[in-house]
Amino acid sequence: MIANTLNKPNGAPTFRTGDERLVKLTASAALKVSTLLTKQGRPKGVLRVAVVGGGCSGLQYKMDLQDGPANRDILVETAGVRVVVDPKSALYVTGSELDYVDALDGGFKVKNPNAATSCSCGESFSA
């Protein structure tokens, strides 16, 4: 199941636990995210993957490093990294793979099976 377990520790945000069918990181992306979290002093932090309006195709990805999941998030552990996705964004990113390419035109790249079209930069899409 993509998201199944409800976690409700005392006083902490309520979030669900999902699996890699929601979002998956390649080894390269996981290494980069782990390195960035460590540099920021958040070795137990999370990568937030969200979809927001904008970009040349209508929707764009937003990624951020945070201390932990927020209320209603779905938490996925993939390649040793904790990734959180809000329920609305989960509708758009289900089945996606996040890769990291270390090159001049590189960076994080999202392979999204739900994207009907995407722009040439790979940072925005339409569903």
Side-chain angles (χ1 to χ4, degrees), residues 10-79:
N10 293 335
T14 302
F15 61 91
R16 293 181 289 167
T17 303
D19 61 37
E20 288 184 329
R21 288 178 290 174
L22 177 58
V23 64
K24 182 178 180 179
L25 269 62
T26 64
S28 176
L31 178 62
K32 186 63 175 180
V33 170
S34 294
T35 302
L36 292 170
L37 284 167
T38 301
K39 280 184 182 179
Q40 286 191 0
R42 303 178 193 199
K44 299 208 186 265
V46 298
L47 170 68
R48 174 168 301 284
V49 176
V51 174
V52 296
C56 50
S57 294
L59 297 169
Q60 63 186 5
Y61 302 105
K62 180 180 177 188
M63 292 180 224
D64 191 21
L65 300 175
Q66 298 180 341
D67 292 327
N71 253 354
R72 302 188 63 225
D73 278 344
I74 302 168
L75 173 71
V76 175
E77 294 217 22
T78 172

